[in-house]
């Protein structure tokens, strides 16, 4: 009898030790019901996400010759979802890259902010699909699946990656509605991200004169033509002396819940070097520098449709994220066999035109001759007929939903 009790005691100890070890290794050990997220962590979230956004922006800028549009917020969310199912070492590396805290409840609060910046409406049409396609022979971890789906980080679907790669490739191209750069089906999963924007300005550009106009490089040489929307209207403008860049803000949608910011370089500074030197403090300084003009400003921005397909696996490799694509074991907490993604592609598109929700009120003639109330270097105009950058932001948190750089003249 004593021997039986001793054996049972040893077995229980082994089971307990094994359970404790599994809990220490597996990153999927918390229940969101424990969290009480009443604390306002918007500032911490915004600072964290911008560090990652700028790293992405710089890498994409170099590889695209400063001609692209992409959704940094959506990439941040997808990488966070994969980090939640990665092994401990890889998870910590990804958390550091994303500036995510180890406290799971604070992470959940970050996810709540990140995934609620976009919602369907009649005036601003933003369609964002974040999808993990996993081989239909893999068994998903229910804990990871519940975490990413309940927090709206990822949708998960099955395709026959191992048994019918041709069918899987066809389905992927159908989902993305475009070419898929770097498509690789040697692993057990692929990550797909699709962001399409077509929104109405809060105040329309409907009175703008649209004309074909030259587009210049930073040396002042005409390198092509664009359809320019020219209009006189009041707007908020800002300036950063360190970057030598001025920006203008246009509200988007009802209640101005989104903002579109455009930035042009003052002088003939090299845009590449300026992008390389920008940090999150510069971004916040620019936003804080915005002031309303007291008079209408001469505005000229291109009317265009922009589309990019970006191999995000290559971009993340630039940021030293290598093991996700080379070591299947690091995603063993996502599925069995491990998810091992070998493709990560984002398709992004954005439409800029004149349509809006309301019209600007008529201005008296005297308004055009009064002082602007702005920094003198800003002048009385904003002309984007040479390389410029712009982005779409959520007005509440200033999360960057879309970011773009334009150095070539034709996007139609």
């Amino acid at each position: 009898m004593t021997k039986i009790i001793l054996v049972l005691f040893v077995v229980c100890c082994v089971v307990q030790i094994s359970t404790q070890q599994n809990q220490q290794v597996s990153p999927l050990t918390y229940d969101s019901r424990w969290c009480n997220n009443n604390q306002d962590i918007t500032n911490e979230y915004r600072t964290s996400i911008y560090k990652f956004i700028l790293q992405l922006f710089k890498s994409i800028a170099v590889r695209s010759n400063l001609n692209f549009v992409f959704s940094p917020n959506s990439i941040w969310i997808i990488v966070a979802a994969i980090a939640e199912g990665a092994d401990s070492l890889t998870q910590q590396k990804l958390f550091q890259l994303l500036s995510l805290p180890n406290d799971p409840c604070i992470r959940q609060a970050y996810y709540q902010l990140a995934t609620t910046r976009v919602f369907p409406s009649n005036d601003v049409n933003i369609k964002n699909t974040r999808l993990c396609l996993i081989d239909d022979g893999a068994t998903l971890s229910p804990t990871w699946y519940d975490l990413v789906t309940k927090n709206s980080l990822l949708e998960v679907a099955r395709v026959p990656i191992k048994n019918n790669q041709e069918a899987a490739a066809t389905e992927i191209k159908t989902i993305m509605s475009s070419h898929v750069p770097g498509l690789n089906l040697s692993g057990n999963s692929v990550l797909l991200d699709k962001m399409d924007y077509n929104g109405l300005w809060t105040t329309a550009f409907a009175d703008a004169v649209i004309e074909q106009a030259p587009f210049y490089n930073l040396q002042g040489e005409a390198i092509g033509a664009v359809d320019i929307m020219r209009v006189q209207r009041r707007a908020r403008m800002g300036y950063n002396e360190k970057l030598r860049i001025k920006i203008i803000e246009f509200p988007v949608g009802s209640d101005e819940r989104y903002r579109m910011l455009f930035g042009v370089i003052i002088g003939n500074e090299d845009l590449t070097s300026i992008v390389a030197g920008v940090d999150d403090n510069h971004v916040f300084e620019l936003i804080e520098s915005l002031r309303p003009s007291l008079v209408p400003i001469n505005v000229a921005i291109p009317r265009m449709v922009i589309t990019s397909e970006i191999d995000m696996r290559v971009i993340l490799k630039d940021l030293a994220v290598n093991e996700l694509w080379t070591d299947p074991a690091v995603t063993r907490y996502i599925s069995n066999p491990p998810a091992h993604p070998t493709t990560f592609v984002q398709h992004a598109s954005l439409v800029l035109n004149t349509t809006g929700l309301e019209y600007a009120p008529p201005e008296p003639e005297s308004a055009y001759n009064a002082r602007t109330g702005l920094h003198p270097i800003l002048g009385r105009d904003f002309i984007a007929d040479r390389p410029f950058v712009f982005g779409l932001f959520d007005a509440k948190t200033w999360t960057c939903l879309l970011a773009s750089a334009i150095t070539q003249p034709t996007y139609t």
Side-chain angles (χ1 to χ4, degrees):
M1 185 67 178
T2 302
K3 290 183 179 180
I4 293 175
I5 294 174
L6 181 62
V7 169
L8 289 174
F9 175 75
V10 170
V11 170
C12 289
C13 288
V14 170
V15 170
Q16 184 177 12
I17 292 170
S18 175
T19 301
Q20 289 174 345
Q21 288 176 340
N22 285 337
Q23 287 176 343
Q24 291 170 355
V25 174
S26 173
L28 303 172
T29 57
Y30 80 94
D31 188 330
S32 62
R33 291 174 297 180
W34 302 341
C35 300
N36 181 17
N37 292 325
N38 293 324
Q39 180 183 359
D40 184 1
I41 45 82
T42 302
N43 289 335
E44 294 86 347
Y45 154 78
R46 183 168 51 219
T47 300
S48 296
I49 198 169
Y50 265 99
K51 291 179 180 178
F52 178 68
I53 285 173
L54 288 171
Q55 290 184 77
L56 283 183
F57 190 94
K58 292 173 183 179
S59 179
I60 294 172
V62 170
R63 290 185 171 275
S64 66
N65 197 27
L66 282 170
N67 272 285
F68 62 90
V69 61
F70 83 111
S71 174
N73 181 58
S74 198
I75 298 300
W76 185 91
I77 293 171
I78 291 177
V79 176
I82 299 304
E84 290 289 357
D87 75 291
S88 297
L89 290 176
T90 304
Q91 183 182 81
Q92 285 304 307
K93 181 177 180 179
L94 294 177
F95 281 177
Q96 289 177 14
L97 177 65
L98 301 173
S99 296
L100 274 170
N102 285 323
D103 186 325
C105 291
I106 298 178
R107 290 205 308 275
Q108 186 192 46
Y110 279 27
Y111 299 157
Q112 175 67 20
L113 282 172
T115 58
T116 55
R117 298 308 91 206
V118 171
F119 55 90
S121 67
N122 294 326
D123 52 312
V124 180
N125 185 13
I126 302 178
K127 295 180 179 179
N128 187 199
T129 300
R130 297 183 298 273
L131 182 62
C132 175
L133 291 181
I134 196 162
D135 182 58
D136 53 16
T139 302
L140 286 170
S141 160
T143 309
W144 177 82
Y145 177 80
D146 286 347
L147 188 153
V148 299
T149 54
K150 289 180 179 177
N151 285 284
S152 302
L153 301 179
L154 269 179
E155 297 178 44
V156 182
R158 296 184 175 278
V159 289
I161 293 176
K162 295 298 185 183
N163 293 330
N164 193 338
Q165 288 194 358
E166 184 176 350
T170 299
E171 187 164 350
I172 290 166
K173 291 176 182 177
T174 300
I175 292 169
M176 298 299 281
S177 304
S178 65
H179 168 68
V180 180
L183 181 59
N184 182 335
L185 298 177
S186 62
N188 285 322
S189 68
V190 298
L191 301 171
L192 303 177
D193 189 27
K194 198 166 186 284
M195 171 75 90
D196 298 310
Y197 166 86
N198 191 348
L200 298 177
W201 306 107
T202 303
T203 302
F205 278 78
D207 56 340
V209 176
I210 299 175
E211 60 183 38
Q212 182 103 144
F215 191 87
Y216 302 93
N217 61 22
L218 290 175
Q219 289 69 48
E221 303 165 334
I223 57 174
V226 289
D227 287 339
I228 285 279
M229 301 185 291
R230 295 188 182 274
V231 68
Q232 289 186 312
R233 58 181 295 178
R234 296 176 188 245
R236 294 209 308 160
M237 295 183 69
Y239 167 67
N240 186 283
E241 185 176 3
K242 296 175 185 176
L243 299 177
R244 297 280 296 168
I245 187 171
K246 68 176 181 179
I247 62 172
I248 193 167
E249 175 195 84
F250 300 121
V252 175
S254 61
D255 301 324
E256 302 184 359
R257 68 180 180 276
Y258 302 109
R259 308 293 170 90
M260 189 83 78
L261 297 185
F262 291 79
V264 294
I265 304 301
I266 297 176
N268 58 357
E269 299 286 340
D270 179 52
L271 187 59
T272 303
S273 61
I274 289 175
V275 167
V278 72
D279 61 30
D280 52 314
N281 289 326
H282 290 134
V283 176
F284 299 139
E285 287 170 3
L286 275 169
I287 293 171
E288 291 170 0
S289 75
L290 289 166
R291 299 289 183 273
S293 62
L294 302 179
V295 301
I297 299 297
N298 294 314
V299 176
I301 60 174
R303 180 181 64 171
M304 54 190 168
V305 178
I306 315 163
T307 302
S308 295
E309 286 82 31
I310 300 175
D311 186 344
M312 294 307 307
R313 185 179 62 167
V314 172
I315 303 302
L316 289 171
K317 281 184 176 181
D318 289 345
L319 306 184
V321 178
N322 296 304
E323 55 274 25
L324 279 183
W325 331 113
T326 59
D327 184 1
V330 303
T331 52
R332 61 183 177 272
Y333 296 115
I334 292 177
S335 65
N336 183 26
H340 188 207
T342 47
T343 292
F344 184 5
V345 174
Q346 183 184 81
H347 165 95
S349 68
L350 179 144
V351 178
L352 293 181
N353 55 31
T354 63
T355 53
L357 294 171
E358 57 190 36
Y359 296 96
E363 297 279 357
E365 192 64 32
S366 59
Y368 297 93
N369 299 318
R371 293 180 179 272
T372 65
L374 302 171
H375 192 295
I377 201 169
L378 292 173
R380 309 178 74 90
D381 59 33
F382 186 93
I383 312 297
D385 60 357
R386 54 200 171 97
F388 63 95
V389 292
F390 70 97
L392 178 72
F393 298 81
D394 158 61
K396 182 178 180 180
T397 65
W398 284 101
T399 297
C400 186
L401 304 175
L402 286 165
S404 179
I406 304 295
T407 57
Q408 299 298 314
T410 303
Y411 274 91
T412 58

